[in-house]
């Protein structure tokens, strides 16, 4: 298994340009996530998906859109990039695991990250 | 969302045990305690998790206070490869992982 992969690994954009980051997982996980990590900071959740065709906003969703057309792929789009979106982007996935009393979020498996610079 | 408090940084000598503390005074009954670590230039990786009882795995041990308001990640013999940022996270669902800034562990040879 390749686990969680991210494409591309690095990208430089000019302000106003658009791009799409691709996350793919081969573990048949239901949940997928996009995070951003700014220098010296922890990860912040941008958007997440609990299944194919469903997405939801996280902590910092503004300026980003996402799509989950296939279970194994989760796309993060920047329609008009801004310098404030310069960051390292991490994708993660986790299986759906039920325990007594409700859903238990299992271990998250992270990709290697995409380093994005917006000039 | 329940949040956690960790020291910004800690140091340890190589091959000595390390105890990384985490306070989570607002933890709810359904919150699991997860620990992840992030090596330089990599994505976070899972270390260990628990609910109420202490837990051991090949990487570390997790000691959970009886009132669950704090926990400690124990690395039994720190190696240079353990130098990383360690995150203590509470999870009770699909979308409420709050990583915070974690504890940066420096291992001294």
């Amino acid at each position: 298994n390749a686990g969680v992969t991210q494409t591309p690994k690095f990208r430089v954009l000019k302000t106003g340009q658009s791009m799409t980051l691709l996350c793919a997982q081969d573990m048949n996980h239901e949940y997928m996530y996009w995070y951003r990590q700014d220098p010296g900071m922890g990860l912040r959740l941008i958007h997440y998906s609990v299944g194919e065709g469903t997405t939801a906003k996280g902590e910092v969703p503004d300026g980003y859109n996402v799509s989950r057309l296939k279970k194994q792929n989760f796309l993060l789009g920047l329609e008009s990039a801004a310098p404030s979106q310069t960051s390292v982007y991490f994708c993660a996935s986790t299986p759906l695991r039920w325990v007594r009393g409700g859903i238990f979020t299992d271990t998250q498996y992270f990709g290697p990250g995409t380093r994005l610079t917006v000039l | 969302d329940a949040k956690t408090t960790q020291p910004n940084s800690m140091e340890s000598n190589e091959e000595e045990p390390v105890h990384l503390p985490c306070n989570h005074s607002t933890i709810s009954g359904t919150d699991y305690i997860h620990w992840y670590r992030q090596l330089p230039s990599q994505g976070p990786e899972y270390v260990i998790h628990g609910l109420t009882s202490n837990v051991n795995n090949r990487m570390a041990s997790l000691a959970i206070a009886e009132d669950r308001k704090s926990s400690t990640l124990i690395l039994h013999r720190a190696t240079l490869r353990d130098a990383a940022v360690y995150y203590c996270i509470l999870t009770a669902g699909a979308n409420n992982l709050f990583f915070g800034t974690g504890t940066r562990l420096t291992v001294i040879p």
Side-chain angles (χ1 to χ4, degrees):
Chain A
N1 287 348
V4 179
T5 59
Q6 293 183 232
T7 309
K9 289 185 170 53
F10 304 93
R11 186 72 185 269
V12 178
L13 291 178
K14 294 181 179 178
T15 297
Q17 287 185 318
S18 63
M19 78 163 294
T20 300
L21 282 66
L22 171 63
C23 176
Q25 52 95 3
D26 60 2
M27 297 173 283
N28 201 35
H29 287 171
E30 288 82 8
Y31 291 78
M32 296 187 74
Y33 308 81
W34 275 108
Y35 294 89
R36 62 176 287 175
Q37 185 174 36
D38 299 326
M41 304 291 289
L43 279 73
R44 292 185 292 170
L45 183 64
I46 305 172
H47 285 280
Y48 66 100
S49 169
V50 300
E52 184 178 324
T54 69
T55 63
K57 294 180 180 180
E59 181 187 356
V60 289
D62 294 341
Y64 305 95
N65 57 75
V66 288
S67 64
R68 183 107 179 262
L69 298 179
K70 293 183 179 180
K71 186 176 184 179
Q72 63 268 32
N73 295 337
F74 195 28
L75 278 66
L76 178 71
L78 286 73
E79 290 186 348
S80 179
S84 61
Q85 293 177 304
T86 293
S87 190
V88 181
Y89 291 85
F90 290 101
C91 175
S93 71
T94 188
L96 176 64
R97 198 177 294 274
W98 291 89
V99 296
R100 186 175 57 191
I103 303 171
F104 164 53
T105 303
D106 209 326
T107 303
Q108 289 204 358
Y109 296 82
F110 284 83
T114 294
R115 186 174 296 276
L116 175 65
T117 301
V118 183
L119 303 176
Chain B
D1 293 338
K3 304 262 176 86
T4 62
T5 304
Q6 301 176 251
N8 288 333
S9 62
M10 292 185 64
E11 287 186 352
S12 173
N13 292 321
E14 194 176 9
E15 298 190 3
E16 290 189 355
V18 183
H19 291 235
L20 298 167
C22 181
N23 288 321
H24 28 79
S25 57
T26 60
I27 191 170
S28 72
T30 55
D31 283 334
Y32 282 78
I33 302 161
H34 272 79
W35 283 81
Y36 286 79
R37 73 178 185 181
Q38 188 174 20
L39 302 172
S41 301
Q42 294 188 27
E45 63 176 350
Y46 167 82
V47 177
I48 200 167
H49 76 277
L51 184 62
T52 56
S53 304
N54 294 345
V55 184
N56 300 299
N57 66 19
R58 64 174 180 81
M59 291 182 70
S61 296
L62 176 60
I64 302 172
E66 196 168 334
D67 63 5
R68 300 212 324 128
K69 295 183 184 298
S70 66
S71 61
T72 302
L73 178 70
I74 302 166
L75 307 179
H76 297 287
R77 290 179 70 245
T79 69
L80 296 178
R81 288 195 69 253
D82 292 323
V85 178
Y86 287 79
Y87 297 98
C88 168
I89 299 160
L90 304 182
T91 67
N95 64 325
N96 65 345
L97 270 70
F98 179 76
F99 275 78
T101 54
T103 297
R104 181 174 299 277
L105 175 66
T106 300
V107 180
I108 302 167

